[in-house]
Amino acid sequence: MKRASIVVSAVMMSVGFAGTAHAGPPITVNGYVCAATYTRQPNAVYGQGYVIVQVNTGANCTGSFVGNYFYLGSGASSVGYQYSEAERLSLFERATQAATQGTRVTLYVEGAGIGILDTTYRGN
């Protein structure tokens, strides 16, 4: 758990220094991780490998669907920070834990609405 916190903190710090253009102020998304999916499949919009995080208003996939948000891979045409493979794998692991444990999440997403800039997990 401590290692995951360190990795997430390091990723959050790297986001602050990213040189990617922004499409407006970040949008705050609150809820619970319902599911997380990692794929290495290339996609022009999401990049070479990406993580999809599905957020709902309630724990354990209850409540309303909030949206799907992405940790983008390299070469993504979508506006947003592009994470390295190691970062995506670590973030996928943490999102999977949050989904199975019913942990609240706050995501800060690019103004365009899909690329995750920052992630905060908290106890209920």
Side-chain angles (χ1 to χ4, degrees):
M1 182 68 166
K2 186 174 182 177
R3 188 183 82 177
S5 298
I6 292 169
V7 171
V8 170
S9 295
V11 169
M12 291 186 316
M13 286 176 50
S14 69
V15 169
F17 298 107
T20 306
H22 299 289
I27 299 165
T28 302
V29 175
N30 291 298
Y32 294 84
V33 178
C34 174
T37 304
Y38 174 77
T39 181
R40 292 188 61 171
Q41 186 69 25
N43 181 290
V45 176
Y46 311 125
Q48 176 64 41
Y50 53 93
V51 175
I52 306 167
V53 177
Q54 179 184 333
V55 178
N56 281 33
T57 57
N60 302 312
C61 299
T62 61
S64 301
F65 173 75
V66 175
N68 287 320
Y69 305 96
F70 297 79
Y71 293 111
L72 302 173
S74 62
S77 64
S78 180
V79 175
Y81 181 78
Q82 297 177 11
Y83 295 87
S84 71
E85 183 175 21
E87 290 171 322
R88 290 189 314 271
L89 287 170
S90 177
L91 291 162
F92 169 67
E93 180 181 356
R94 185 62 185 106
T96 301
Q97 289 173 350
T100 59
Q101 296 172 356
T103 305
R104 286 192 58 76
V105 66
T106 298
L107 303 175
Y108 298 96
V109 180
E110 284 288 348
I114 62 165
I116 300 170
L117 293 172
D118 187 42
T119 306
T120 302
Y121 296 100
R122 63 173 74 59
N124 295 330

